[in-house]
Amino acid sequence: MRRKSVSYARFGYIFCIPFVIAFLIFQLYPIIFTTVLAFTDYKGLNVTEWHFLDNPFANFEYVFKNPSFSTSLKNTVIIWTINFIPQILLALLLTAWFTSRRNKIKGQGAFKILFYMPNIITAATIAILFNSLFAYPVSPVNDLLTTLGLSKEPINFPTKMWISKGIVAFIQFWMWYGYTMIILIAGVLGINPELFEAAEIDGANGRQVFFRITLPNIRTIMLFTLVTSMVGGLNMFDIPKLYLNGGPSSSTLTTSLFIYNQAFSGSYRYNTASAASLIMFIIIGILSAFTFFIMRDKDAAKLRKLEKKVKKDLKKAEQAAKGAA
Amino acid sequence: MVMKKKKSATVYLVVKYIICVLLALLSILPFYIMFVNATRSTVEIQQHAISFIPSKYLSNNWAILDGKNFNALRGFANSVIVSTGATICTVYFSSLTAYAIMAYQWRLRNAFFTFILCIMILPAQVTSVGFYQMIYKVGFTNSFLPLILPAIAAPGTVFFMRQYLQATLSIDIVNSARIDGAGEFGIFNRIVIPIMKPAIATQAIFAFVTNWNSLFIPMILLTNNKKHTMPIMVSLLRGDIYKTEFGSIYLGLSLTVLPLFIIYFLLSKYIIAGVALGGVKE
């Protein structure tokens, strides 16, 4: 009987084969290929030959010296930050309201559905929609401003650098705060209700409960939101590309857009695009590792270590017992 | 004192409702303006770009779009093919992989699961140059296969499916099917897949929407305009040929999101529940 159960193990391997093959072909190979290209002279349309460069880091030097790259990196960080801080604050506020045990908000379901809605709509469509909403001279926003008398004449939004950055950040904020809110609410609902009951008995007010119990208990989920938002933010492409194509004067140029422009939009500089991709890859890796490190739950890590040790000891004991038998 | 406290609590509640209603309006308004303007003529929009009453130029705007080679039906069909194909690949093979991790005791399974967690955050753009070059070399640009087949390896979905199986799969059912003489692959298809239906439905919705909305990779691979998907067609609406055709731009935008709105309002309950489940990853 025991022998038979062992023989099933091979199906574990067999059933993973499609996943592994697809991963190797469509993810691992492109990563390796991108890495290799970053050290070559591969550029130009319909070129199939490439050679390794004498100075292996020439492409990286090119990228770092390229003012567009540093601008795009700066823009990406700025746009992500001015989208994420209000996003997480609003999401936390709404989470506090929607999970409050004292005064329940009615119609929560409908609010959640509407707040989350922009997230599933095609980003490309939203970018062009906002391009139309803020167009000059004829656009709904300008119509609203002049009709309400807030502005005497239409404002030329597409030429304003900081306003454009702000609009791109706003679109990101608007598309994602509902998602963040739902995830945080799920986190709060997962907290042991006894904690809240105990706090209430101890006479804690709403604010105290939120800061002393709710927040510390959703730390891991906030970390998850932070990391996914950061990775997504560093890859922001659809919206800056289609809102104003990185303009005006590169004020909404992001790193993904920089890579796209290098490789796929007329210049065919596959080698420097690969180098820029690798730089982004490393930045993303370092940032995620760093956030995991500073926000890691120290007690949980200790517990896990202990658990591992106990398991090891158990195994040893088992083996010893077997040996003895 | 108590009265005052009660009064301030009521005020606070009213403030909460006002903010929630304003945020809800913020979600609706851009799309409402878009749908209304899709029915208005360029002249009407030039006079007043905001209107809450639909006009009667819908078929006119449609004719303009059609005349400019905006073939909405073909784009729609292409998007449906890509999204459906990718969705089927994602949910089927992710279920299979998750089942392999959950149901069998093989030596590398913990290592494999850790590996899946690690590749979960790998963004597609970072590998785009290598991906494009590979597809270009084998001559598969302008084919839907490079957009569909990579969906077989979807680490995030595998993770979700594993969590679901962990909670629902009882190995006794599998064992009794074995005693009845069912093969391992048959057990997966006839017993495990039906058990996983709720999880498959949730993940299918997300996979479909993600693929429907995807722009970056389709845009660099599909250069033939007969193969364009909806988001690529939308991206062309920004071009010069539409400069003054305001009504038809709004119509083009509306057409791309109409299916999403229908899916969303039919399935919003499951979608919201799915988002909430996906977040609790500890």
Side-chain angles (χ1 to χ4, degrees):
Chain A
M1 200 59 212
R2 197 185 150 80
R3 240 168 114 196
K4 206 173 177 191
S5 78
V6 168
S7 76
Y8 285 123
R10 74 195 149 97
F11 287 101
Y13 292 99
I14 293 171
F15 286 176
C16 286
I17 289 174
F19 181 97
V20 172
I21 290 179
F23 171 78
L24 291 178
I25 297 176
F26 297 113
Q27 290 182 30
L28 189 65
Y29 180 74
I31 294 175
I32 295 170
F33 200 24
T34 309
T35 312
V36 169
L37 286 179
F39 297 95
T40 66
D41 61 354
Y42 190 51
K43 61 182 166 193
L45 187 61
N46 298 327
V47 174
T48 45
E49 265 184 42
W50 42 266
H51 312 276
F52 283 102
L53 294 167
D54 297 332
N55 170 7
F57 295 105
N59 292 326
F60 294 90
E61 275 166 28
Y62 170 90
V63 171
F64 279 122
K65 277 186 190 149
N66 192 323
S68 283
F69 182 73
S70 46
T71 310
S72 72
L73 201 56
K74 245 183 263 163
N75 287 340
T76 310
V77 172
I78 291 171
I79 293 173
W80 179 75
T81 313
I82 52 181
N83 121 69
F84 188 73
I85 291 174
Q87 181 191 321
I88 193 90
L89 290 179
L90 180 63
L92 276 173
L93 184 70
L94 292 171
T95 303
W97 289 354
F98 282 13
T99 55
S100 160
R101 294 151 63 89
R102 286 196 190 128
N103 354 338
K104 285 228 157 76
I105 289 191
K106 278 176 198 146
Q108 271 192 35
F111 283 131
K112 278 186 200 167
I113 289 172
L114 288 174
F115 295 171
Y116 180 69
M117 187 178 72
N119 192 265
I120 66 141
I121 305 299
T122 319
T125 305
I126 286 179
I128 297 199
L129 177 61
F130 273 77
N131 180 275
S132 303
L133 291 179
F134 285 91
Y136 175 83
V138 180
S139 67
V141 172
N142 269 322
D143 187 26
L144 191 73
L145 290 178
T146 45
T147 313
L148 292 178
L150 291 172
S151 166
K152 268 189 194 139
E153 39 195 49
I155 299 169
N156 197 345
F157 289 108
T159 57
K160 304 262 190 301
M161 292 178 68
W162 275 95
I163 289 182
S164 301
K165 263 198 195 85
I167 292 173
V168 170
F170 173 78
I171 299 173
Q172 296 280 351
F173 158 84
W174 178 71
M175 284 182 77
W176 287 95
Y177 80 90
Y179 168 86
T180 308
M181 175 195 80
I182 291 171
I183 288 198
L184 294 182
I185 289 177
V188 173
L189 294 181
I191 300 173
N192 186 350
E194 277 172 26
L195 281 177
F196 292 112
E197 277 155 28
E200 250 162 51
I201 291 167
D202 289 350
N205 63 28
R207 189 163 302 173
Q208 281 170 324
V209 169
F210 184 74
F211 282 102
R212 301 278 169 82
I213 295 176
T214 313
L215 265 189
N217 275 298
I218 54 171
R219 224 173 51 172
T220 22
I221 288 174
M222 280 174 65
L223 168 70
F224 164 78
T225 330
L226 180 70
V227 172
T228 44
S229 165
M230 215 160 57
V231 175
L234 287 169
N235 285 294
M236 203 181 335
F237 175 78
D238 298 14
I239 290 180
K241 162 84 184 153
L242 293 177
Y243 178 58
L244 288 172
N245 201 6
S249 317
S250 301
S251 60
T252 58
L253 183 78
T254 59
T255 45
S256 282
L257 200 46
F258 173 83
I259 293 169
Y260 177 85
N261 288 342
Q262 289 280 309
F264 305 112
S265 125
S267 30
Y268 307 107
R269 299 189 60 105
Y270 297 117
N271 53 352
T272 48
S274 301
S277 301
L278 268 192
I279 294 169
M280 286 320 291
F281 189 69
I282 291 164
I283 292 178
I284 289 171
I286 291 174
L287 282 179
S288 346
F290 185 70
T291 28
F292 272 116
F293 182 75
I294 52 168
M295 287 194 70
R296 78 186 189 282
D297 200 331
K298 279 168 196 147
D299 298 335
K302 244 185 220 161
L303 215 74
R304 232 173 287 148
K305 245 186 200 165
L306 203 75
E307 210 173 289
K308 248 188 194 167
K309 209 183 151 219
V310 170
K311 261 190 196 160
K312 229 182 191 173
D313 289 349
L314 257 176
K315 230 182 198 172
K316 258 188 206 159
E318 225 170 64
Q319 267 167 356
K322 247 187 218 164
Chain B
M1 191 61 196
V2 177
M3 278 283 278
K4 208 174 163 193
K5 218 175 177 182
K6 228 180 180 174
K7 205 174 166 192
S8 79
T10 328
V11 171
Y12 188 41
L13 196 66
V14 171
V15 170
K16 282 183 190 176
Y17 275 109
I18 291 174
I19 290 180
C20 285
V21 169
L22 284 179
L23 286 172
L25 281 178
L26 195 64
S27 287
I28 300 167
L29 264 183
F31 299 114
Y32 186 75
I33 293 172
M34 174 183 79
F35 283 125
V36 170
N37 277 353
T39 67
R40 301 171 74 216
S41 72
T42 300
V43 180
E44 283 176 323
I45 293 173
Q46 264 167 343
Q47 277 161 359
H48 261 296
I50 292 191
S51 168
F52 294 97
I53 312 142
S55 185
K56 47 186 187 284
Y57 290 89
L58 186 63
S59 57
N60 224 29
N61 288 334
W62 174 274
I64 294 169
L65 265 191
D66 212 36
K68 291 198 192 291
N69 259 328
F70 187 98
N71 195 331
L73 284 178
R74 189 161 56 208
F76 187 81
N78 289 340
S79 276
V80 168
I81 295 170
V82 171
S83 310
T84 311
T87 302
I88 292 171
C89 284
T90 295
V91 292
Y92 185 78
F93 289 105
S94 297
S95 306
L96 187 66
T97 313
Y99 179 66
I101 294 172
M102 271 315 293
Y104 299 104
Q105 306 285 333
W106 39 296
R107 258 185 62 210
L108 293 175
R109 83 172 188 165
N110 285 327
F112 185 67
F113 186 58
T114 314
F115 162 75
I116 283 182
L117 290 182
C118 290
I119 59 173
M120 241 161 65
I121 56 162
L122 210 68
Q125 269 100 321
V126 166
T127 63
S128 61
V129 180
F131 185 75
Y132 173 78
Q133 288 299 329
M134 174 179 83
I135 302 298
Y136 182 75
K137 259 191 201 139
V138 293
F140 270 75
T141 53
N142 286 318
S143 154
F144 292 147
L145 285 179
L147 300 175
I148 294 174
L149 293 180
I152 293 172
T157 314
V158 174
F159 180 85
F160 184 92
M161 297 300 196
R162 191 203 89 116
Q163 302 299 88
Y164 187 82
L165 271 181
Q166 201 171 29
T168 52
L169 181 74
S170 112
I171 206 74
D172 293 340
I173 300 175
V174 178
N175 280 334
S176 61
R178 277 174 187 156
I179 291 166
D180 291 345
E184 294 301 304
F185 194 56
I187 291 175
F188 172 73
N189 281 327
R190 262 171 282 143
I191 295 169
V192 180
I193 287 275
I195 292 175
M196 295 182 76
K197 254 186 195 157
I200 288 177
T202 318
Q203 289 301 303
I205 298 169
F206 286 111
F208 189 86
V209 170
T210 310
N211 282 292
W212 183 275
N213 290 342
S214 160
L215 175 72
F216 191 92
I217 299 291
M219 192 160 76
I220 59 177
L221 288 181
L222 306 173
T223 48
N224 179 345
N225 63 6
K226 281 191 182 141
K227 300 277 180 169
H228 281 176
T229 55
M230 279 305 219
I232 305 178
M233 292 178 59
V234 161
S235 72
L236 300 175
L237 286 174
R238 231 178 65 91
D240 279 338
I241 54 167
Y242 295 102
K243 202 134 220 181
T244 52
E245 303 294 353
F246 299 122
S248 30
I249 292 179
Y250 286 110
L251 178 61
L253 294 173
S254 307
L255 288 173
T256 58
V257 295
L258 211 57
L260 290 174
F261 271 107
I262 294 169
I263 292 179
Y264 188 61
F265 285 109
L266 286 177
L267 303 172
S268 55
K269 238 188 188 168
Y270 305 96
I271 294 176
I272 302 283
V275 176
L277 272 177
V280 192
K281 290 203 167 173
E282 278 299 298

